[in-house]
Amino acid sequence: MSEHIADLPNIDPSLLEPPSRTALFTPRRATHAPRFLVLYGSLRDRSYSRLVAEESARLLQAMGGETRIFNPSGLPLVDDASDSHPKVRELHELVQWSEGMVWSSPERHGAMTGLMKTQIDWIPLSVGAVRPTQGKTLAVMQVSGGSQSFNAVNQMRVLGRWMRMLTIPNQSSVAKAYQEFDESGRMKPSPYYDRVVDVVEELMKFTLLTRDVAPYLVDRYSERRESAIALSNRAEQASI
């Protein structure tokens, strides 16, 4: 690479790192069960987004994962309470614990629900100097009362990207969700159910593939440069 650096005058050569095959392909592998946080976006007694979330958790467990489903009942609006609120603390602790997430929301007025967005908005942008969601995997799902739509999953993809999550390619959208569950709340066999299985299976694979290299995957030149500048400034101030 050194012969090409001269053609990149705006680059700090000491901070431009070619991808390391060792870091990518031979990291120390974790042996514990992959950990997943599952969020859903409705508090109705018969919440189809919750039922999809619960089925996703069952599937993840069947594939060897460990799951936690966050109950958003009692979670305050953002800025209407402090980070010390018990439900906010619970959510923060689960985010820190998790290695991957499932977000399942109804579509309401052509968008994810306010409850879903509130949960996402309570996830902190940083803990110390680290964004707690970066490098974690994410699967997005939605349920609709009418015909199939993808507005909610598309919005959640934007949020996942903003939060530096590794959002898997597959997704699930269950149309006319009221027809897709039996009286006990279990999802009936259908192409919609098969797609949920597809999404969960893909999430598990991506999580196993990336969780041990997540910090390396999201390491950025711009942030290394900012850190180097900050360190240099502190050294100059200390020498004065």
Side-chain angles (χ1 to χ4, degrees):
M1 184 181 71
S2 58
E3 64 270 21
H4 301 293
I5 286 292
D7 194 38
L8 299 170
N10 296 327
I11 288 289
D12 183 337
S14 67
L15 299 175
L16 185 64
E17 301 176 358
S20 165
R21 291 181 176 273
T22 300
L24 283 171
F25 303 128
T26 58
R28 184 175 181 178
R29 293 292 178 183
T31 57
H32 64 271
R35 301 189 295 255
F36 298 96
L37 170 60
V38 184
L39 306 180
Y40 59 90
S42 169
L43 295 177
R44 291 179 176 177
D45 289 340
R46 188 169 170 85
S47 164
Y48 297 112
S49 65
R50 176 176 54 79
L51 295 179
V52 170
E54 291 172 347
E55 193 67 16
S56 300
R58 293 186 193 100
L59 289 164
L60 286 166
Q61 291 164 9
M63 295 177 191
E66 184 179 358
T67 63
R68 299 284 186 273
I69 301 176
F70 177 69
N71 180 354
S73 180
L75 183 70
L77 293 173
V78 175
D79 298 330
D80 199 32
S82 71
D83 289 355
S84 63
H85 188 283
K87 293 299 293 188
V88 176
R89 286 204 317 270
E90 178 188 355
L91 179 58
H92 286 186
E93 290 168 2
L94 288 172
V95 170
Q96 291 284 82
W97 166 85
S98 68
E99 295 168 323
M101 296 189 203
V102 176
W103 294 351
S104 172
S105 177
E107 180 172 317
R108 189 169 296 163
H109 299 313
M112 77 182 82
T113 61
L115 179 64
M116 192 76 224
K117 185 62 162 57
T118 294
Q119 292 173 84
I120 296 168
D121 283 348
W122 267 120
I123 297 173
L125 292 176
S126 64
V127 175
V130 178
R131 188 172 296 211
T133 51
Q134 66 180 8
K136 297 182 190 292
T137 52
L138 172 65
V140 293
M141 304 183 182
Q142 75 168 75
V143 295
S144 302
S147 58
Q148 192 173 46
S149 173
F150 299 93
N151 291 322
V153 288
N154 287 339
Q155 287 183 322
M156 289 187 285
R157 281 189 176 280
V158 171
L159 292 172
R161 183 172 69 246
W162 180 258
M163 298 162 77
R164 298 187 189 173
M165 303 184 77
L166 305 176
T167 309
I168 66 170
N170 215 336
Q171 61 189 23
S172 170
S173 175
V174 181
K176 297 181 180 178
Y178 58 89
Q179 296 180 347
E180 299 302 321
F181 296 85
D182 62 23
E183 292 182 359
S184 66
R186 298 302 300 270
M187 199 168 182
K188 301 174 184 177
S190 72
Y192 291 132
Y193 180 76
D194 292 346
R195 177 54 66 89
V196 171
V197 178
D198 289 347
V199 172
V200 171
E201 186 178 56
E202 190 171 286
L203 176 65
M204 176 63 78
K205 290 176 182 177
F206 271 78
T207 304
L208 289 170
L209 183 66
T210 63
R211 67 173 177 171
D212 300 305
V213 295
Y216 183 73
L217 288 173
V218 296
D219 183 49
R220 297 181 173 190
Y221 169 80
S222 60
E223 293 175 349
R224 293 194 299 273
R225 188 168 182 276
E226 288 175 4
S227 297
I229 292 172
L231 179 62
S232 176
N233 289 340
R234 285 198 300 270
E236 288 181 8
Q237 291 173 359
S239 64
I240 295 175

